[in-house]
Amino acid sequence: MTIGVLLAVGAVLVFLSQTWTEVLWFDQLGYSRVIWTQWIAAGVLFVVGFLVAFGAILAAMTGAYRKREISLPQDEAARNLEGYRTAVEPLRRTLTWAVPALLGVLGSAWELAPHWRAVLLAVHAQSFGIKDPQFGLDVSFYVFILPVLQVVVSFLSRVVVFAGLASLVVHYLYGGVSVSRAPHFTRAARVHLAVFLAGFALLQGIAYWLGRYSALYASNTKFDGAGYTDINAVVPANAILAAISVVVAAMFLVSLRSSSWKLPVTGVAVMIVSALLIGTAYPAVVQKFVVDPNAQREEAVYIDRNIQATLAAYGLDGVETTAYDAKTDTEAGQLQADAESTTSIRLLDPNVVSPTFRQLQQNKQYYTFASSLNVDRYQVEQQSRDTVIAVRELNLDGTAQSTWINDHTVYTHGYGVVTAYGNTVASGGFPSFWEGGIPSSGDLGEYEPRIYFGQASPSYSIVGGDDGGTPRELDYPDDSAPSGQVNTTFAGDGGPDVSNPWNRLMYALKFQEMNILFSQEVRDGSQILYDRNPAERVAKVAPWLTLDGNPYPAVVDDDDDPSTPKRVVWIVDGYTTTNNYPYAQHESLEDSMSDATTGATLLGAPEESNYVRNSVKAVVDAYDGEVTLFEWDDQDPILNAWQDVFPGTVTPMSEMSADLMAHMRYPEDLFKVQRTVMAKYHVTDPEDFYSGGDFWKVPDDPTQPGDEAQAPYYLTLQMPGQDQASFSLSSVYIIGGNTDRNVLTGFLAVDSETASGEPGVRNPNYGKIRLLELPRSSNVPGPGQVQGIFDSNTTVSQTLNLLSQQGSEVIKGNLLTLPVGGGLLYVQPVYVQGSTGTQYPLLRKVLVAFGDQVGFADTLSEALNQVFGGQSGATTGEEVVDGDAGAANDTSDPEAQAAATAEATAEATAAATPEPTTAPTSGATAPTTGATAAPTPGAATGDPKADLDTALADAQQARADADEAMKNGDWAAYGEAQSRLDDALSRAVDAQQRMGG
């Protein structure tokens, strides 16, 4: 008894540790209604399902027992059953209640409770205002009502089967059913079975009738939705089978008055034969002899339905398509009219430069940056700048001593963001930072830098509370502080209180850590922070959303209180989806959103969908974890239904600050799905669509191994016909089908600019999708061809081969495509990093292609001039934010900033030694005291082989000197070594060309 009580108490405590802590978590966030609505809805469905199943099965079993016929055993089989009855009788009452209870629990837990979302949506269904083209019903019937009807029919069918089988077993056990010689049923057994079979036949009839409607979103080979065979054979067949099922049910009921099974058995036979002939054979005959020989004509009207529904379901019915006869020839000044686009050409690849950010801005080993950074735009000196931004997050793996105290009470948060211009670099190929360092400084101004909630936060931290005047949470390292670091105490409201013993016990059980219960670091007012990943945090408070698993950070101001410092927030895109939109094409969101640089990381994604809307923008405060769900698409009926289910959980867009609005953007994942759909659905003529001769595909990324799709890219550009450049997301298409031709066929871009300058008001052009359609006879090279042209160019290949020698590795950055100069311009940054030891990529070269012309130079401006007759006419980011300005604005260290400014004005000859996290300054060229003198480059001998060997040796020495200078923080010596490296590479290329290579 004692053991039993202890086990029961332990089970209750463990249960409470998982449920009570959830109540505390949701209540602290202000979303307690969400968890209670889920639990109540699932609980009510479970109880209703259990009572229905339990009642039906219990009634079947007790009814069969009461109607049993008692008789003496007449044969061997009857005597055997008597033995079974004798064995079962002591347990009969228990089994009579236990079996229905068990089947009731299983049935309701599997069939009803998991569908609480569908039931709540059906209760709060909203009109789409669009009728399906076949039955004339509002789309809401298919999205909200039909799924619930199918669930109910499936559940009731299962209950009828369970009840019928239970009744049959009881009748058999007590002699009501005998199959020893000839089948024999007592009247009571026959009546019970007839009732259950009639109920099952009736439910099958309802299922057949509902199948008429579900045919409208069925998956097919050529296109989804009901085609000619479905409308003219399957739908009528389902109606006929539904009528036959009702008749068969009536036959079973009529048979109750007779002692013969002849009538219902005949009905069942008719039903089976009808299902085979009408439901299977007839549609196959129609498909084979009517549709297949005339498919293009017969399917045209249904293909048109599919096209129109698909474009509407994926938000593509407003795409602006323009014929674009792209030029391939070049001339001087050709890019003069495209200054806005060329100024913003991004040279910093966010998927490549993270190691460089870590080397220059990580500061301490217990900080880190994400492996893939983000692109945003910020107002810098009253101008919008495309920016690569990274959050300096906590990295517990880098701590010197891992203990429970350190991991959960000392190292609790990251610190600050780092930003760099996207369209230029500092001297030496380093990112041109304009915000960074610890403490953070730069053009962002004052903001709250502490990152308690992020993508790399610890599983849980205990923070805040009465620190007795001695903060313990590590804030940031500071050599001027007595302990070498500055500490802080969390002052927000970020997690449940763990001051009282009960909550401490619950969380000690939840995290299986007794230190929470006994540690003195858990003080009065302490809070426990957990579920700290922004996407997972939003997924809990909005379980009805499909979420982008890659949140992006932004530093935003509060319009309501200008005196409040800016905050770092995470923005998460939320999608509403359904797979039941009539005639729309089904797509796997996971497959469509996966590409060469970003694997699919969706949360809550269905296996397939044929309708998707970016209906919610979720914002998570990086300091206190506050979650705000902003309404982004007030025309979405699914969102409106969920707002009725969870009133007050979604904030109107009108309450969004202007600064926050300016950092919203068009979701990359949604754009990936849309570009996948548009690869086919740019063809709107049904006959052309059926032939598929003009289908496109997204090209593979030529810079990555494998056959993953090329990622779309954020950058500011001006599309042909657009009044001015805007922050956009773009991608390209090549010829589809089974061919290795990599020829460009289309360019797709969406306006991603959200800023309007007013709170709660979105840019009216946001979401405008533009498609440039190239002539079918066009031979404009696609990304694969362009990469091949780059790789096969003699000058390019020689230089890159040399750069990849002497312990270096060449990394090809993102291959950008821009519609400028009347054609399509390709730009690719080229990075070089060490192949061993400390590895961090630096921008060394820029590749440019237009038509068959290739440019290859140290800067984008020089490369463009090579392509366009010596003078492209373009304005590049290097000119708007030149190397010296970028270095002077390098916020990694004040001394580096001062040194670069002095060198830029030719007033200083030496640079001060910066902190270890300092990025190199572009202006410092004179060696500092103690710097290693530069060796004299080898003079030309006239022998190209000897000159090549000498140049390579000089390059190796220059690289070694550069690495040594960086380790010592001597950036003047570093710049001098880089100059020698460039000179040595130039001499090596010249010598190799003289050798005929």
Side-chain angles (χ1 to χ4, degrees):
M1 180 63 72
T2 302
I3 294 174
V5 170
L6 291 176
L7 289 175
V9 171
V12 170
L13 289 176
V14 170
F15 173 76
L16 289 175
S17 72
Q18 300 301 318
T19 54
W20 178 247
T21 54
E22 286 295 273
V23 171
L24 292 175
W25 189 90
F26 277 90
D27 185 62
Q28 184 275 327
L29 268 179
Y31 286 88
S32 57
R33 187 185 189 108
V34 173
I35 189 68
W36 287 114
T37 299
Q38 290 182 64
W39 286 354
I40 292 173
V44 168
L45 288 175
F46 178 84
V47 170
V48 170
F50 173 80
L51 292 177
V52 170
F54 176 80
I57 298 170
L58 179 63
M61 294 180 68
T62 55
Y65 179 76
R66 288 173 182 172
K67 296 294 184 179
R68 70 192 186 283
E69 295 183 5
I70 306 298
S71 61
L72 294 175
Q74 301 295 323
D75 54 21
E76 184 67 24
R79 284 191 290 272
N80 290 337
L81 281 175
E82 181 66 24
Y84 289 128
R85 285 195 295 270
T86 303
V88 169
E89 188 60 30
L91 300 173
R92 181 182 59 79
R93 290 182 179 274
T94 301
L95 291 174
T96 301
W97 290 90
V99 171
L102 177 61
L103 295 177
V105 168
L106 295 178
S108 57
W110 287 346
E111 290 285 338
L112 282 188
H115 295 282
W116 64 269
R117 294 178 179 84
V119 173
L120 290 178
L121 279 179
V123 172
H124 299 277
Q126 306 283 320
S127 173
F128 275 71
I130 302 172
K131 296 185 182 298
D132 80 84
Q134 182 61 35
F135 299 107
L137 299 174
D138 192 276
V139 171
S140 62
F141 170 76
Y142 299 90
V143 173
F144 299 123
I145 308 301
L146 184 56
V148 174
L149 294 178
Q150 291 173 324
V151 168
V152 171
V153 169
S154 175
F155 171 72
L156 293 178
S157 297
R158 188 181 296 270
V159 169
V160 168
V161 170
F162 283 168
L165 290 175
S167 176
L168 183 63
V169 169
V170 174
H171 277 296
Y172 177 76
L173 187 62
Y174 289 94
V177 176
S178 175
V179 293
S180 59
R181 295 177 182 174
H184 168 72
F185 296 85
T186 63
R187 175 170 176 75
R190 190 171 67 252
V191 168
H192 286 173
L193 293 180
V195 170
F196 289 123
L197 290 172
F200 184 77
L202 184 61
L203 290 169
Q204 282 299 106
I206 297 174
Y208 277 127
W209 187 259
L210 296 178
R212 298 165 62 249
Y213 302 108
S214 61
L216 267 60
Y217 51 77
S219 297
N220 294 306
T221 304
K222 285 285 187 180
F223 60 94
D224 290 345
Y228 181 93
T229 300
D230 296 307
I231 296 301
N232 294 280
V234 175
V235 170
N238 280 342
I240 294 171
L241 291 173
I244 292 174
S245 299
V246 173
V247 171
V248 170
M251 288 179 176
F252 276 110
L253 295 178
V254 170
S255 71
L256 295 177
R257 296 189 175 184
S258 68
S259 60
S260 173
W261 285 89
K262 185 175 181 179
L263 188 61
V265 169
T266 302
V268 171
V270 171
M271 187 176 177
I272 295 174
V273 172
S274 298
L276 294 174
L277 293 179
I278 301 175
T280 303
Y282 177 59
V285 169
V286 170
Q287 181 68 34
K288 180 70 175 179
F289 297 103
V290 178
V291 177
D292 289 349
N294 310 285
Q296 195 171 38
R297 183 185 65 188
E298 299 293 355
E299 299 282 29
V301 63
Y302 307 106
I303 293 175
D304 184 64
R305 291 179 178 181
N306 170 260
I307 292 172
Q308 301 308 319
T310 300
L311 293 177
Y314 289 96
L316 295 168
D317 44 357
V319 173
E320 181 182 286
T321 303
T322 304
Y324 189 64
D325 190 3
K327 298 179 181 178
T328 56
D329 54 333
T330 62
E331 60 183 9
Q334 192 166 335
L335 302 183
Q336 189 169 358
D338 296 291
E340 286 191 272
S341 292
T342 57
T343 298
S344 300
I345 293 176
R346 182 163 47 78
L347 298 177
L348 216 58
D349 186 343
N351 296 304
V352 171
V353 297
S354 179
T356 308
F357 272 57
R358 285 198 294 272
Q359 285 298 318
L360 305 178
Q361 291 283 347
Q362 180 175 322
N363 190 275
K364 288 293 184 179
Q365 73 278 9
Y366 45 79
Y367 292 129
T368 189
F369 296 103
S371 58
S372 180
L373 308 184
N374 289 278
V375 177
D376 202 348
R377 64 278 190 216
Y378 284 83
Q379 291 292 324
V380 183
E381 298 177 355
Q382 286 76 52
Q383 293 189 41
S384 180
R385 302 288 194 200
D386 286 5
T387 296
V388 175
I389 181 170
V391 174
R392 189 185 290 107
E393 293 205 59
L394 188 63
N395 174 30
L396 286 180
D397 291 337
T399 57
Q401 186 172 356
S402 178
T403 65
W404 183 85
I405 293 291
N406 283 340
D407 292 351
H408 298 287
T409 67
V410 175
Y411 295 98
T412 59
H413 59 280
Y415 196 93
V417 301
V418 177
T419 63
Y421 292 114
N423 59 351
T424 189
V425 294
S427 176
F430 285 83
S432 181
F433 298 108
W434 58 271
E435 179 76 32
I438 296 181
S440 187
S441 62
D443 291 333
L444 275 178
E446 184 182 358
Y447 70 95
E448 172 54 67
R450 297 166 185 86
I451 311 297
Y452 280 92
F453 293 84
Q455 294 175 288
S457 298
S459 58
Y460 70 92
S461 294
I462 297 175
V463 299
D466 183 6
D467 59 15
T470 307
R472 295 176 177 83
E473 300 168 39
L474 173 63
D475 208 8
Y476 59 86
D478 186 355
D479 292 337
S480 63
S483 63
Q485 65 186 42
V486 174
N487 292 340
T488 188
T489 297
F490 180 74
D493 182 15
D497 183 272
V498 287
S499 298
N500 66 75
W502 173 254
N503 285 356
R504 292 174 71 169
L505 173 62
M506 290 296 97
Y507 281 106
L509 292 173
K510 179 181 180 67
F511 292 108
Q512 300 179 29
E513 179 54 71
M514 288 300 102
N515 282 320
I516 297 176
L517 194 59
F518 301 112
S519 175
Q520 295 182 5
E521 295 301 315
V522 184
R523 304 179 294 269
D524 182 34
S526 288
Q527 303 170 40
I528 186 167
L529 312 182
Y530 61 100
D531 289 334
R532 300 164 74 176
N533 182 287
E536 294 173 1
R537 198 167 177 82
V538 175
K540 289 186 67 172
V541 302
W544 41 276
L545 285 174
T546 295
L547 294 171
D548 187 331
N550 292 310
Y552 61 95
V555 182
V556 300
D557 207 346
D558 185 356
D559 294 342
D560 297 331
D561 187 3
S563 63
T564 303
K566 297 179 181 179
R567 309 279 283 204
V568 180
V569 299
W570 297 94
I571 300 173
V572 186
D573 286 297
Y575 309 100
T576 48
T577 64
T578 182
N579 202 32
N580 298 342
Y581 196 99
Y583 275 103
Q585 195 72 17
H586 302 275
E587 293 289 343
S588 167
L589 299 185
E590 291 277 0
D591 292 343
S592 299
M593 295 177 180
S594 179
D595 57 41
T597 58
T598 306
T601 55
L602 290 176
L603 300 180
E607 186 175 343
E608 278 191 328
S609 293
N610 66 354
Y611 171 94
V612 60
R613 288 289 186 274
N614 177 212
S615 53
V616 170
K617 297 285 190 182
V619 178
V620 180
D621 192 297
Y623 181 73
D624 61 18
E626 179 185 10
V627 177
T628 307
L629 306 176
F630 285 103
E631 178 186 62
W632 195 247
D633 186 351
D634 59 1
Q635 301 301 310
D636 177 29
I638 300 180
L639 173 61
N640 294 334
W642 281 119
Q643 290 191 86
D644 284 351
V645 174
F646 300 111
T649 58
V650 179
T651 303
M653 184 172 63
S654 59
E655 297 185 23
M656 186 181 292
S657 70
D659 195 25
L660 178 58
M661 176 70 75
H663 290 284
M664 296 295 167
R665 67 188 190 189
Y666 200 84
E668 185 176 352
D669 283 345
L670 176 60
F671 185 71
K672 291 176 185 177
V673 175
Q674 290 176 321
R675 72 172 181 176
T676 299
V677 173
M678 280 300 292
K680 289 184 177 180
Y681 286 87
H682 68 279
V683 180
T684 55
D685 180 85
E687 294 186 1
D688 292 343
F689 187 94
Y690 183 85
S691 66
D694 198 26
F695 287 171
W696 302 338
K697 64 182 177 183
V698 177
D700 296 339
D701 191 331
T703 68
Q704 302 290 332
D707 55 358
E708 293 290 339
Q710 186 181 40
Y713 299 116
Y714 288 104
L715 69 163
T716 298
L717 61 84
Q718 183 174 3
M719 292 284 284
Q722 197 173 0
D723 294 336
Q724 61 183 13
S726 65
F727 190 65
S728 303
L729 184 60
S730 62
S731 185
V732 297
Y733 292 110
I734 60 173
I735 293 174
N738 296 321
T739 178
D740 58 356
R741 290 194 68 208
N742 203 276
V743 176
L744 212 63
T745 56
F747 182 91
L748 188 70
V750 61
D751 194 328
S752 187
E753 186 55 67
T754 53
S756 66
E758 299 180 26
V761 179
R762 187 170 59 200
N763 188 317
N765 294 322
Y766 169 83
K768 179 67 176 179
I769 301 177
R770 297 176 174 87
L771 174 64
L772 303 181
E773 192 169 356
L774 276 65
R776 289 167 176 78
S777 59
S778 173
N779 283 314
V780 175
Q785 271 197 33
V786 169
Q787 193 67 61
I789 292 172
F790 286 160
D791 294 343
S792 61
N793 182 279
T794 303
T795 302
V796 173
S797 61
Q798 287 178 346
T799 304
L800 295 186
N801 285 338
L802 289 170
L803 287 172
S804 62
Q805 296 176 15
Q806 309 302 321
S808 298
E809 178 185 357
V810 172
I811 300 174
K812 297 168 184 175
N814 43 212
L815 184 57
L816 305 177
T817 310
L818 294 90
V820 295
L824 288 154
L825 175 72
Y826 286 94
V827 177
Q828 183 176 51
V830 178
Y831 298 85
V832 178
Q833 72 175 14
S835 57
T836 59
T838 303
Q839 296 176 302
Y840 53 94
L842 302 176
L843 183 69
R844 289 304 187 198
K845 297 288 183 179
V846 180
L847 281 161
V848 171
F850 192 99
D852 58 357
Q853 298 296 313
V854 174
F856 183 56
D858 293 341
T859 66
L860 174 61
S861 180
E862 294 170 352
L864 289 173
N865 289 339
Q866 291 176 10
V867 170
F868 294 96
Q871 178 56 48
S872 67
T875 302
T876 66
E878 299 152 329
E879 300 166 49
V880 175
V881 184
D882 60 34
D884 288 334
N889 203 23
D890 181 351
T891 58
S892 55
D893 188 88
E895 296 180 10
Q897 184 176 1
T901 304
E903 185 64 30
T905 57
E907 295 176 354
T909 59
T913 302
E915 295 283 351
T917 55
T918 304
T921 60
S922 62
T925 56
T928 58
T929 304
T932 303
T936 304
T941 63
D943 181 355
K945 179 63 170 64
D947 290 345
L948 177 61
D949 293 341
T950 301
L952 291 177
D954 291 343
Q956 185 174 14
Q957 182 61 48
R959 173 169 289 281
D961 292 343
D963 289 343
E964 184 65 26
M966 185 176 184
K967 291 178 182 178
N968 297 331
D970 191 342
W971 303 114
Y974 179 91
E976 185 271 339
Q978 290 296 323
S979 298
R980 288 189 284 116
L981 176 61
D982 290 341
D983 175 70
L985 290 174
S986 297
R987 289 187 285 114
V989 171
D990 176 70
Q992 196 168 38
Q993 289 175 340
R994 285 188 284 126
M995 292 173 62

